[in-house]
Amino acid sequence: MQSYEIKHMIVDDDFNAEESVTTNFSHNNQEYSITFDKGDFEVINQWVFENGTLLPANLSDELIEAIREDVKSRLN
């Protein structure tokens, strides 16, 4: 299992008229952000923070699934 640490979560009930959850986390000494649709927890977007810029991230399905399940459990 890949290790990560969730740093911050934001539940937004006004994102494009649908609720979303944005999760900032660290993994392999980098900072990332994933936004999930709160209804079905599908990924809306994923970013990596590099040199003060947000760039599209390419995270493994295994890591995304682990974070998705972690976020679900924290919201319950």
Side-chain angles (χ1 to χ4, degrees):
M1 171 55 108
Q2 300 180 25
S3 65
Y4 64 89
E5 180 183 356
I6 291 180
K7 304 284 190 173
H8 190 71
M9 283 181 23
I10 300 169
V11 178
D12 185 352
D13 59 4
D14 263 342
F15 182 75
N16 290 335
E18 293 192 24
E19 290 187 344
S20 64
V21 180
T22 299
T23 305
N24 295 338
F25 64 97
S26 61
H27 171 65
N28 290 340
N29 298 316
Q30 286 195 288
E31 299 298 317
Y32 294 90
S33 177
I34 297 180
T35 300
F36 296 101
D37 180 303
K38 192 175 174 200
D40 59 11
F41 285 92
E42 288 301 311
V43 174
I44 295 172
N45 59 48
Q46 53 185 304
W47 303 99
V48 60
F49 297 94
E50 288 187 5
N51 301 322
T53 302
L54 281 174
L55 300 171
N58 186 18
L59 299 168
S60 72
D61 291 341
E62 179 184 75
L63 180 60
I64 291 170
E65 186 59 29
I67 293 168
R68 177 183 288 124
E69 293 305 314
D70 196 351
V71 168
K72 284 181 185 179
S73 71
R74 290 173 187 233
L75 292 177
N76 290 331

